[in-house]
Amino acid sequence: MSSRRIHIVLIGFMGSGKSTIGHLLASKLNRPLIDTDREVVEREKMSISAIFEQKGEKYFRKVEREVLLSALNSEIPAIISTGGGAPCFLDGMDYILRSSISFYLKVGRASLFSRIYGDKERPLVILKTKHELIQFIDLSLRKREAFYTRANKTILAYDNPDKIVERIIKYYNKEHI
Ligand code: S3P
């Protein structure tokens, strides 16, 4: 694909700041923001928790993949903020690498834990005790980093959001303009 203005995709674990950074990037670069979670909810007319509960995770992953592919196929270069599992299931990461420049927003376990513990919206977090959530983050991060680290660039995402956005734009401009 042309190296001129291509999609920017943000990937990373739940709580890594993809939505916040996505909004800032979209307004700074004056691009549309496509949030795959939001697209799934709109398409299915159900919350993500309800989809997991009533239709199961496998169904969610199928819809998530469709939504991701249609975002990547859209003509107007966009900022695409993905759900934490989107690059890790089916062929999500292959598509991301083919059609965008991607950034892994990397945040350590302790920060991820404090950002998502007690969350009532995320089905993979709801009802987990502290101990269960720590174990879940440890185990899934180990598996998922095999996908996340294939991103074009890993960004340590502890800084304040404006600084993270600056670093993303700097890298994008250096590589793709
Ligand atoms: C998920 C992450 C969520 C959402 C769903 C599953 C995951 O998105 O897609 O609850 O598997 O990590 P966020 O990363 O935006 O929370």
Side-chain angles (χ1 to χ4, degrees):
M1 96 177 315
S2 139
S3 67
R4 279 251 144 201
R5 286 164 40 79
I6 67 173
H7 299 305
I8 293 178
V9 174
L10 303 176
I11 66 174
F13 205 77
M14 293 175 274
S16 58
K18 298 171 304 249
S19 300
T20 308
I21 302 298
H23 273 107
L24 288 172
L25 265 178
S27 77
K28 262 231 143 105
L29 297 177
N30 199 20
R31 286 185 178 206
L33 173 69
I34 304 176
D35 178 319
T36 60
D37 282 345
R38 216 177 46 206
E39 297 290 318
V40 170
V41 169
E42 269 174 30
R43 195 183 275 210
E44 293 296 304
K45 314 252 176 301
M46 280 170 114
S47 70
I48 290 180
S49 303
I51 300 172
F52 267 67
E53 225 175 82
Q54 294 171 31
K55 301 191 165 182
E57 180 171 354
K58 202 169 168 194
Y59 179 82
F60 170 79
R61 298 300 173 195
K62 188 173 98 35
V63 180
E64 182 179 51
R65 175 184 181 273
E66 285 165 13
V67 159
L68 174 65
L69 264 53
S70 108
L72 289 168
N73 283 329
S74 66
E75 293 267 313
I76 302 169
I79 308 299
I80 303 173
S81 164
T82 59
C88 315
F89 288 86
L90 307 166
D91 45 10
M93 197 61 208
D94 295 328
Y95 272 98
I96 290 171
L97 287 169
R98 232 174 276 157
S99 335
S100 72
I101 176 154
S102 49
F103 293 89
Y104 167 31
L105 302 184
K106 184 177 166 93
V107 174
R109 288 140 215 257
S111 303
L112 291 175
F113 173 81
S114 63
R115 291 182 192 184
I116 63 177
Y117 177 61
D119 191 299
K120 302 275 185 293
E121 307 289 325
R122 293 176 166 111
L124 296 173
V125 173
I126 298 170
L127 297 179
K128 282 196 171 55
T129 64
K130 271 187 186 178
H131 182 67
E132 285 166 346
L133 185 60
I134 290 169
Q135 280 195 327
F136 170 76
I137 293 174
D138 264 352
L139 195 74
S140 22
L141 204 52
R142 223 173 296 151
K143 286 189 201 147
R144 288 183 175 194
E145 278 215 312
F147 297 90
Y148 295 155
T149 54
R150 292 175 66 203
N152 295 104
K153 176 84 178 156
T154 293
I155 299 274
L156 291 181
Y158 296 96
D159 270 341
N160 83 52
D162 289 316
K163 286 216 173 108
I164 296 169
V165 166
E166 254 173 52
R167 276 160 41 216
I168 291 176
I169 294 176
K170 199 167 156 197
Y171 182 83
Y172 178 81
N173 287 339
K174 187 163 68 89
E175 296 295 313
H176 286 269
I177 285 200

